[in-house]
């Protein structure tokens, strides 16, 4: 007869269920998601001077309540670190987990929630904006957001290559238009660093229109660069879409392989 699970094992199963979230886990996750969204809403409303003056104490009280809830969750996740794959009970292992992306976001959010908006700490008020990082915590409680994360991790190499190509094209475009337009005295192309603004705006297809070529040769070159920009915007989107299709296909195959026959209870082949 197997020994009953310890407190740490129960807590680990509650925070990171591997066999599907039960009612308690779903309720807890729903509470955290609600608090995260309310934190963001309160942060945004707190930037309105009239609301900040009238409801300042209530906002601070809400911040402290959220800090307690998020703090308990953070300590719980830190406590069960030795039960996670690849971690043990050494201080270095705890530190490695604490400095990984999601726990680090949790810690920054906690700091921003606990920094009071007093004169003595006025220089730290910028940390309050870190509460917006709470949105990134939603990925822990959403299967869809976790799917996005897996796709991006799988396509990291291709996406980084695309970013490198875009950077090269930006510098080539800025250098080319500088050579063409600087001799004509066109505003915004007096140097390559100034022309970089036009190149970024053009290749991302934003098109502010505040800087544009004036010479016929510059316009012809800009037209070709714009066409490259359209292709470069579509390329990463295609990569991510392909990654989504592959990941969804893999999930369907996994669900089919683990499905059970309703009559015999055996896994279907």
């Amino acid at each position: 007869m197997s020994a009953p699970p310890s407190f740490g094992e129960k807590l680990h199963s509650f925070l990171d269920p591997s066999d599907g979230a039960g009612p308690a886990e779903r309720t807890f996750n729903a509470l955290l998601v609600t608090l995260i969204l309310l934190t963001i809403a309160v942060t945004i409303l707190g930037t309105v001077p009239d609301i900040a003056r009238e409801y300042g104490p209530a906002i601070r009280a809400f911040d402290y309540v959220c800090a307690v809830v998020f703090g308990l969750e953070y300590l719980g996740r830190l406590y069960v670190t030795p039960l996670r794959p690849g971690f043990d009970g050494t201080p270095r292992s705890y530190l490695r987990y604490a400095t990984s992306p999601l726990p680090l976001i949790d810690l920054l959010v906690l700091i921003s929630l606990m920094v009071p908006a007093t004169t003595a700490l006025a220089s730290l008020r910028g940390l309050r904006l870190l509460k917006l990082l709470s949105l990134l915590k939603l990925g822990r409680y959403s299967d869809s957001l976790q799917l996005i994360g897996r796709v991006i991790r799988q396509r990291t190499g291709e996406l980084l290559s695309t970013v490198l190509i875009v950077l090269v094209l930006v510098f080539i475009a800025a250098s080319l238009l500088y050579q063409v337009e600087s001799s004509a005295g066109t505003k915004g192309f007096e140097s390559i660093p100034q022309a970089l603004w036009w190149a970024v705006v053009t290749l991302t297809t934003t098109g502010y229109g505040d800087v544009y070529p004036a010479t016929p040769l510059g316009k012809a070159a800009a037209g070709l660069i714009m066409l490259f920009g359209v292709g470069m915007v579509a390329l990463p989107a295609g990569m991510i879409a392909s990654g989504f299709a592959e990941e969804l296909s893999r999930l369907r195959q996994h669900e089919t392989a683990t499905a059970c026959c309703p009559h015999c209870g055996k896994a279907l082949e």
Side-chain angles (χ1 to χ4, degrees):
M1 183 176 180
S2 60
S6 64
F7 171 75
E9 291 171 340
K10 291 181 179 179
L11 183 61
H12 180 255
S13 178
F14 181 81
L15 293 175
D16 297 297
S18 58
D19 55 351
E25 289 88 346
R26 286 197 296 268
T27 301
F28 179 69
N29 288 343
L31 171 65
L32 291 177
V33 170
T34 301
L35 284 179
I36 289 170
L37 296 177
L38 287 176
T39 299
I40 300 306
V42 169
T43 299
I44 293 171
L45 293 175
T47 60
V48 180
D50 292 339
I51 294 178
R53 282 194 300 268
E54 186 172 355
Y55 299 101
I59 291 174
R60 289 307 303 153
F62 177 75
D63 284 349
Y64 288 134
V65 170
C66 291
V68 171
V69 176
F70 292 153
L72 290 174
E73 184 211 8
Y74 176 78
L75 292 176
R77 293 186 181 279
L78 198 62
Y79 177 78
V80 300
T81 295
L83 300 177
R84 301 178 186 280
F87 294 90
D88 51 36
T90 62
R92 184 175 182 180
S93 183
Y94 281 100
L95 179 62
R96 183 161 62 89
Y97 174 74
T99 53
S100 57
L102 282 178
L104 194 58
I105 290 171
D106 292 341
L107 183 60
L108 291 176
V109 170
L110 280 173
I111 293 173
S112 67
L113 286 169
M114 292 186 293
V115 171
T118 61
T119 305
L121 294 175
S123 61
L124 297 179
R125 286 183 182 176
L127 288 176
R128 291 167 60 81
L129 296 178
L130 291 175
K131 286 189 290 185
L132 296 175
L133 289 174
S134 297
L135 288 174
L136 299 179
K137 287 163 60 68
L138 291 175
R140 181 181 283 143
Y141 316 111
S142 170
D143 292 337
S144 298
L145 292 178
Q146 291 175 10
L147 174 62
I148 294 174
R150 289 197 298 272
V151 171
I152 292 177
R153 284 195 296 270
Q154 292 172 1
R155 299 289 175 170
T156 298
E158 294 92 333
L159 291 174
L160 288 177
S161 299
T162 303
V163 170
L164 179 60
I165 293 172
V166 169
L167 289 176
V168 171
L169 286 177
V170 164
F171 280 97
I172 291 176
S175 302
L176 179 61
L177 266 293
Y178 162 73
Q179 296 293 334
V180 174
E181 297 293 330
S182 62
S183 57
T186 306
K187 182 181 178 181
F189 296 95
E190 293 87 349
S191 64
I192 291 179
Q194 287 179 305
L196 281 173
W197 167 251
W198 173 87
V200 170
V201 169
T202 301
L203 283 170
T204 56
T205 69
T206 305
Y208 283 113
D210 54 342
V211 178
Y212 50 89
T215 64
L217 182 57
K219 291 179 180 179
L224 293 176
I225 292 170
M226 291 175 190
L227 293 176
F228 276 111
V230 172
M232 294 313 301
V233 169
L235 187 58
M239 291 179 180
I240 294 176
S242 174
F244 269 115
E246 293 176 3
E247 185 66 17
L248 289 173
S249 175
R250 187 189 67 79
L251 289 175
R252 291 193 187 98
Q253 292 175 357
H254 177 73
E255 291 173 357
T256 302
T258 57
C260 293
C261 175
H263 301 292
C264 63
K266 296 181 179 180
L268 296 175
E269 297 296 334

